[in-house]
Every structure is written in C-alpha cells, then in structure tokens.
Amino acid sequence: MSDWAKKIKDEARGLIAEAEQELTVLEGGDTVDLTADAPEDDDTPDTTVSGT
C-alpha cells in the first residue's frame, strides 16, 4: 500500500473514532477511548452468552 493511502486510512480511522465518541457523549453513555491500544483495566464485563 502506498504511503499516502496508509496516511489517509489512518486519518479516517481517527476521525471515525472521534465521531463515535461524540455520539456516545450525546447519547448520555460513558465514553470509551476507541483509539487506545489496550484497555487500562481488566474490569470489562464479559459479553459471552451462555447456553443455559
């Protein structure tokens, strides 16, 4: 992939993450940093559905 295409793709990802954060704030939910590499803590809820 050419260098300019990679830069545009990276910029688009950043803009999408910012827009999603703003929408979350407008909806009244907790904000989540979508640009973070890894979660800061391991207190995330388990979203696995059990078959019971």
Side-chain angles (χ1 to χ4, degrees), residues 2-52:
S2 65
D3 191 41
W4 63 270
K6 183 174 176 11
K7 287 180 183 179
I8 291 172
K9 190 174 182 179
D10 290 342
E11 182 68 21
R13 283 187 185 142
L15 292 173
I16 290 169
E18 287 178 30
E20 288 178 348
Q21 280 184 318
E22 290 299 320
L23 287 173
T24 301
V25 170
L26 290 173
E27 292 171 349
D30 293 335
T31 59
V32 176
D33 185 6
L34 301 175
T35 59
D37 292 333
E40 293 178 8
D41 57 7
D42 198 31
D43 292 340
T44 56
D46 186 12
T47 57
T48 307
V49 177
S50 63
T52 57

